Amino acid sequence: MKFTEEHEWLRPEDDLIVVGITEHATTQLGDIVFVELPEVGTTVTKDEEVVVIESVKAASDIMSPIDGEIVEVNSALADNPALANEDAIGAGWFFKIKPSDASQMDSYMDEATYNALIS
Amino acid sequence: MSELLQTPLHHLHVALGAKMVPFAGYSMPVQYLMGVMQEHIHTRTKAGLFDVSHMGQVIIKGADYPTAAMALETLIPVDILGLKPDRQRYGFLTNDTGGILDDLMLANRGDHIFMVVNAGCKITDLAHMKAKLSGVQITEITDRALLALQGPSAQAVLSELNPMAANMRFMDVTSLSLAGSECWVSRSGYTGEDGYEISVPTAQAEALAKRLLSHADVEPIGLGARDSLRLEAGLCLYGQDLDDSLNPVEASLTWAIQKVRRTDGARAGGFPGSEIILPALDQGVTRHRVGLKPEGRAPMRHDVPLFQSENGGEQIGIITSGGFGPSIGGPVAMGLVADGLHQPGTVLYGELRGKRLPVTVTSLPFLPANFKR
């Protein structure tokens, strides 16, 4: 599992990458009340805005950490956006992406490095 | 930017684990450990304690109450002279073009007027009043904190400190001894719930706050929940829903201008912008502040443009404040819309991230108020 400085996590799952945001990020954002997810089939590039999160306080954009095609989104978030607060690195995942260049993962932090960043 | 000011409760906020943010020149708690959503719900179900010490507390004193009231009526288009002793009412300072300089609460305290104004406007309000009024003393009270205790348990909680609190009705104002301090208490607030605002000497503020927080029903509540609570209650936030380019009729605040100050009233006009505001009252305006309920779950916030149709057409309005309403369980907003499109039930479209999503004009408040009338 890898982490970005933008507080996203990336977890390989077969030939796909599951993406979400960390518990540190959801704690900072506060109670999440709305998540707008990309459409399945969309091709995205690294650093392109793909998800909008609305917390009680404000709206935040989430960028795609890698290039690829969105192959699945977590539709459970539509009815229950609080999942992102309750289980940020599990049931609160955002989307699954089919990477066009999996080596883009390599530049991101491992868990220990990320934990040091936020501590 | 100069250093942030701190309220007398700063150390308590930090000790309670508040997340502090800059607001109107002060370091203020935006939320505590509970988080905005739970703090909001707690206030609606039990009681919340808010530090609103950043707001301006002002005393206006003349030879007697009528002298002070008549002076202030030259700046504020409400009936101040007719306000009974120990009663409070809502008002606003207007400018020469009929716009609102600030909205405020003012109380008849027998021999003087006590006023509470917005933190972000207090310096300009004081300068404006001092420049325009003669024959009265205008004094900012800087040695008192201001607390708000809001929610259905507020009466029971405050009555434990002084049983007289239970006798007050909505918009009553009185002096009460609370935990050994002489406090100026009004039965009012900014949440749509029953509750009190309490002006307490700075030296005793923390002790009083701790005493109130020691009650099982009371939790500290930050500015985040204060904003969602007032939004559901349909109450304006100065700087967002109100500003110096919007007149009180456009702002749907005509209820605050009593008949005596309107055309044909005994003390009609005589305030800045009256030649714009009185005709607006009589003849109508081109835009109105309304409640807006976005469909779906996406909140629509300040500055989202509004349109009459899903595609094309000119912009016909704008969201002035909006967000998620925890008690409504969905997004809520207020905005300005063109005359004719302001009737409840009218469906408009807010443009959010390039997409137009339906919003319905809704009567305010979103939740019925729980005042003790």
Side-chain angles (χ1 to χ4, degrees), chain B residues 115-132:
Chain B
M115 191 187 276
V116 177
V117 303
N118 280 301
C121 301
K122 65 182 174 185
I123 293 168
T124 51
D125 289 352
L126 283 159
H128 174 67
M129 290 190 287
K130 285 178 177 173
K132 296 286 169 66

Side-chain angles (χ1 to χ4, degrees), chain B residues 250-291:
Chain B
E250 295 169 317
S252 304
L253 296 174
T254 53
W255 56 269
I257 305 175
Q258 287 77 22
K259 271 199 177 129
V260 71
R261 303 302 309 276
R262 300 189 188 189
T263 309
D264 301 331
R267 298 194 310 286
F271 51 85
S274 60
E275 63 283 9
I276 289 161
I277 293 169
L278 295 185
L281 266 166
D282 299 333
Q283 295 154 28
V285 287
T286 58
R287 55 183 180 162
H288 305 263
R289 178 180 62 95
V290 295

Side-chain angles (χ1 to χ4, degrees), chain A residues 26 30-37 52-55 73-88 90-94, chain B residues 37-38 296-298 324 329-330:
Chain A
T26 60
D31 302 300
I32 292 167
V33 296
F34 175 73
V35 181
E36 186 174 284
L37 295 164
V52 178
I53 301 176
E54 296 261 7
S55 75
V73 297
N74 186 359
S75 53
L77 286 172
D79 293 328
N80 186 11
L83 274 179
N85 289 109
E86 290 158 7
D87 190 8
W93 63 278
F94 288 164
Chain B
M37 191 98 84
Q38 288 311 310
R297 293 192 70 101
F324 186 80

Side-chain angles (χ1 to χ4, degrees), chain B residues 42 44 63 109 113 131 143 151 157 162 175 246 253 260 283 288 315 347 357 365:
Chain B
H42 186 89
R44 290 244 187 273
R109 296 285 281 138
I113 295 165
D143 58 357
V157 171
N162 189 326
S175 294
L246 189 73
L253 296 174
V260 71
Q283 295 154 28
H288 305 263
Q315 184 180 340
V347 177
L357 302 171

